[in-house]
């Protein structure tokens, strides 16, 4: 089980909250054995595809620095903004992840240490490449969670092989793993720029 | 720049953008779901539905208790800075709906009158915002189509073959996995133009469903880009 220390000021105070691997792909990857992706205290994170902010709340427990959470849908962004008002170290960015100009403007030139992407869309890989070209350098840790079913309905192993070949042209693949008991037909990559 | 200022700028800016992005189709979906609830259940209570609407109009309020929320809703004039904007007619509709409700349990007092009134309100809203496509298909079917997909922006991007079988997903996936026969129609089955109730045979009805869905997809796009889309 994975727990994070709760930072929010609430009244019957809980010291620790459980991080559920069934709801979060980052946690599922930690449970599968990749322990170097636990963010350190001085990490600045760019999180693409934040949704309502379940995972983001746990990341904000772990780091003291800022998190940029990008989300495109209005209904999902409302709970995210409410979370950001409570926590004070999450910057919610209401924008498409393909719109790099706006994200760049909203980040005010901050350098990031970790880039996480979880957007179940057909051009998932292209979005990652676009963003990493702009924001990442050699030292940034790039985390990528792949949903094979949103790319193609064919056999997931085949899609996985095609995607890894695409990624090899732009990145160094440090670790790759399937998230099988927690998320079926999902894969997780730890990458760095060449 | 310091982190606190970056966070504050982003919260303010994304509140503005969310306010612009909330579409009027939410109010159509709200009344369609109420009409469906009234048909499906004998006497439901509407705390949950009221909370949905309240959180669209006042998205950042901290009220959680449904009874306090209901009292607050009776007084309010539905005028908010960062939520869904309603015009005078729509505010009147929402107030009319709240007047039907019982104070103690939030159930409908006079069901027969309420059902007629709410169906009328739903049809009026659909005709106001989707003038072209409501001439093709009945208003309650259009409302159901939009509510099941989740928004007018999604349905306007769908191909007509998908619109034809919205609501028949179970039969479609059974066809794909077990190779049974493919469904011909979904929610548009009840439409007068297909005419199943008048005794049209299934094969002919399948053809009509295809043609109707073709025209509907074109008209939905016209309505979406005239009334809802903000891009130039």
């Amino acid at each position: 089980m994975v727990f994070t220390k709760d930072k929010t000021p609430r009244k019957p105070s809980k010291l620790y909250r459980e991080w559920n691997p069934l709801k979060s792909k980052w946690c599922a990857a930690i449970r599968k054995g990749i322990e170097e992706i636990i963010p350190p205290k001085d990490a600045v994170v760019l999180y693409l595809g934040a949704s309502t902010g379940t995972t983001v709340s746990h990341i904000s427990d772990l780091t003291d620095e800022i998190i940029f959470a990008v989300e495109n849908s209005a209904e999902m962004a409302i709970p995210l903004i409410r979370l950001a008002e409570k926590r004070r170290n999450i910057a919610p960015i209401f924008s498409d992840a393909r719109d790099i100009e706006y994200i760049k403007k909203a980040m005010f030139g901050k350098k990031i240490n970790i880039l996480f992407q979880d957007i179940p869309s057909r051009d998932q890989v292209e979005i990652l490449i676009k963003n990493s070209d702009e924001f990442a350098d050699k030292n940034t840790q790039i985390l990528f969670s792949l949903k094979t079913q949103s790319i193609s309905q064919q056999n997931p192993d085949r899609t996985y092989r095609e995607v890894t070949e695409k990624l090899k042209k732009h990145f160094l693949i440090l670790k790759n793993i399937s998230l099988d008991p927690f998320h079926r037909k999902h894969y997780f990559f730890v990458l760095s720029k060449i | 720049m310091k982190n606190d200022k970056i966070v504050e700028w982003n919260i303010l800016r994304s509140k503005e953008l969310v306010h612009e992005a909330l579409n009027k189709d939410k109010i159509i979906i709200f009344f369609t779901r109420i009409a469906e609830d009234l048909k499906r259940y004998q006497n439901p209570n509407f705390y949950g539905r009221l909370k949905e609407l309240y959180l669209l109009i006042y998205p950042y309020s901290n009220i959680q208790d449904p009874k306090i929320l209901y009292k607050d809703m009776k007084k309010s004039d539905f005028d908010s800075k960062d939520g869904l904007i309603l015009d005078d007619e729509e505010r009147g509709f929402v107030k009319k709906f709240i007047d039907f409700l019982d104070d103690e349990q939030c159930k409908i007092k006079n069901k027969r009158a309420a059902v007629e009134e709410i169906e009328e309100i739903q049809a009026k809203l659909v005709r106001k915002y989707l003038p072209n496509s409501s001439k093709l298909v009945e208003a309650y079917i259009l409302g159901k189509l939009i509510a099941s997909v989740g928004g007018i922006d999604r349905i306007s991007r769908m191909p007509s073959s998908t619109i034809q079988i919205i609501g028949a997903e179970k039969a479609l996936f059974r066809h794909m996995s077990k190779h049974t026969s493919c469904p011909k129609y979904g929610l548009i089955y009840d439409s007068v133009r297909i005419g199943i109730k008048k005794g049209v045979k299934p094969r002919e009805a399948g053809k009509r469903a295809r043609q109707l869905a073709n025209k509907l997809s074109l008209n939905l796009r016209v309505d979406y880009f005239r009334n809802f889309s903000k891009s130039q």
Side-chain angles (χ1 to χ4, degrees):
Chain A
M1 301 249 263
V2 184
F3 289 88
T4 55
K5 200 170 190 179
D6 197 357
K7 270 184 194 170
T8 48
R10 64 170 91 183
K11 275 181 184 169
S13 68
K14 277 181 180 177
L15 276 181
Y16 287 90
R17 292 189 306 140
E18 190 191 344
W19 195 358
N20 192 351
L22 295 172
K23 286 184 180 175
S24 160
K25 275 145 214 162
W26 197 321
C27 179
I30 293 172
R31 282 286 297 274
K32 287 283 269 185
I34 313 179
E35 286 192 355
E36 64 260 31
I37 60 171
I38 298 172
K41 275 200 169 182
D42 56 342
V44 181
V45 184
L46 173 61
Y47 194 108
L48 303 171
S51 186
T52 54
T54 326
T55 310
V56 172
S57 72
H58 288 285
I59 303 297
S60 92
D61 280 343
L62 290 169
T63 68
D64 295 332
E65 271 284 344
I66 197 169
I67 302 160
F68 297 100
V70 181
E71 175 55 44
N72 194 21
S73 146
E75 282 168 51
M76 296 287 161
I78 288 169
L80 183 68
I81 295 168
R82 291 175 63 143
L83 184 79
E85 281 177 337
K86 268 186 212 166
R87 294 248 166 191
R88 310 307 297 179
N89 70 342
I90 301 169
I93 302 175
F94 181 72
S95 153
D96 198 326
R98 300 171 189 87
D99 184 6
I100 284 181
E101 295 274 301
Y102 180 76
I103 298 174
K104 205 176 173 185
K105 189 183 154 196
M107 278 168 68
F108 290 99
K110 268 256 172 190
K111 274 197 174 180
I112 57 166
N113 307 342
I114 299 175
L115 193 154
F116 182 86
Q117 200 249 43
D118 174 24
I119 302 171
S121 142
R122 185 170 283 187
D123 55 344
Q124 207 181 350
V125 184
E126 283 78 18
I127 294 172
L128 181 75
I129 292 166
K130 235 183 174 183
N131 275 287
S132 64
D133 282 344
E134 190 63 46
F135 301 117
D137 56 2
K138 276 189 181 178
N139 297 324
T140 35
Q141 199 176 31
I142 299 168
L143 311 176
F144 176 53
S145 111
L146 170 75
K147 183 182 178 185
T148 50
Q149 289 294 293
S150 65
I151 290 177
S152 167
Q153 293 291 315
Q154 64 188 2
N155 189 10
D157 288 343
R158 216 168 142 192
T159 321
Y160 169 68
R161 258 178 270 136
E162 285 171 9
V163 168
T164 38
E165 272 173 30
K166 250 189 212 175
L167 287 173
K168 269 178 190 171
K169 289 174 192 168
H170 300 268
F171 303 104
L172 208 74
I173 298 177
L174 301 176
K175 262 182 186 176
N176 47 358
I177 205 167
S178 95
L179 300 176
D180 197 19
F182 304 113
H183 301 271
R184 276 161 59 218
K185 298 174 184 176
H186 283 70
Y187 293 89
F188 196 89
F189 292 85
V190 183
L191 311 165
S192 76
K193 284 218 82 175
I194 296 172
Chain B
M1 205 167 175
K2 278 187 179 177
N3 286 352
D4 299 345
K5 281 189 176 177
I6 297 177
V7 168
E8 230 160 70
W9 187 89
N10 272 310
I11 287 175
L12 278 177
R13 183 78 189 119
S14 39
K15 268 185 184 178
E16 281 170 21
L17 290 172
V18 165
H19 175 56
E20 284 169 17
L22 283 172
N23 264 337
K24 282 287 180 64
D25 57 348
K26 299 281 186 300
I27 194 90
I28 296 176
I29 294 174
F30 174 71
F31 276 109
T32 323
R33 283 186 178 153
I34 284 170
E36 272 185 64
D37 283 352
L38 283 172
K39 272 184 190 171
R40 196 176 294 160
Y41 306 110
Q42 205 167 39
N43 199 1
N45 80 32
F46 285 100
Y47 281 130
R49 293 273 177 237
L50 279 180
K51 197 176 176 183
E52 277 174 29
L53 186 71
Y54 188 85
L55 288 181
L56 278 174
I57 299 170
Y58 307 105
Y60 308 108
S61 74
N62 291 319
I63 301 174
Q64 290 293 327
D65 188 19
K67 284 177 184 173
I68 299 170
L69 191 142
Y70 173 64
K71 277 178 193 168
D72 198 58
M73 213 156 177
K74 271 204 154 183
K75 293 174 204 162
S76 70
D77 52 347
F78 308 111
D79 190 20
S80 79
K81 280 177 188 174
D82 37 29
L84 187 70
I85 309 167
L86 303 179
D87 59 14
D88 292 340
E89 199 188 4
E90 288 157 2
R91 279 177 207 168
F93 289 156
V94 176
K95 270 178 190 166
K96 215 180 239 179
F97 168 65
I98 291 173
D99 287 342
F100 278 123
L101 293 174
D102 182 15
D103 278 348
E104 286 174 2
Q105 289 178 318
C106 203
K107 288 179 178 175
I108 290 222
K109 280 181 269 182
N110 182 1
K111 199 182 168 188
R112 184 185 280 178
V115 168
E116 280 178 14
E117 192 89 358
I118 284 166
E119 279 173 3
E120 214 169 87
I121 289 172
Q122 194 262 354
K124 264 184 195 172
L125 283 170
V126 170
R127 271 182 224 125
K128 186 180 170 191
Y129 287 110
L130 308 164
N132 290 305
S133 36
S134 63
K135 278 175 190 165
L136 278 174
V137 186
E138 290 86 333
Y140 75 97
I141 296 176
L142 255 184
K144 272 187 191 178
L145 281 173
I146 294 167
S148 72
V149 172
I152 181 79
D153 54 336
R154 283 191 198 167
I155 205 173
S156 66
R157 284 176 173 78
M158 279 183 173
S160 71
S161 54
T162 308
I163 292 174
Q164 189 186 338
I165 50 170
I166 288 172
E169 282 87 358
K170 203 173 172 183
L172 176 70
F173 290 118
R174 202 196 300 131
H175 159 71
M176 276 159 64
S177 61
K178 293 180 183 170
H179 304 286
T180 54
S181 57
C182 183
K184 298 186 198 71
Y185 22 63
L187 283 172
I188 55 172
Y189 178 82
D190 289 335
S191 173
V192 178
R193 284 183 194 261
I194 290 178
I196 278 282
K197 283 167 191 166
K198 287 178 188 171
V200 175
K201 284 179 184 173
R203 192 156 190 185
E204 176 68 20
K207 283 181 191 173
R208 288 187 184 187
R210 189 192 71 229
Q211 289 163 357
L212 182 62
N214 281 344
K215 294 299 173 199
L216 187 61
S217 74
L218 293 176
N219 281 296
L220 277 171
R221 276 168 214 174
V222 173
D223 287 334
Y224 171 67
F225 285 110
R226 276 197 189 150
N227 297 337
F228 292 95
S229 171
K230 275 132 199 166
S231 60
Q232 290 176 349

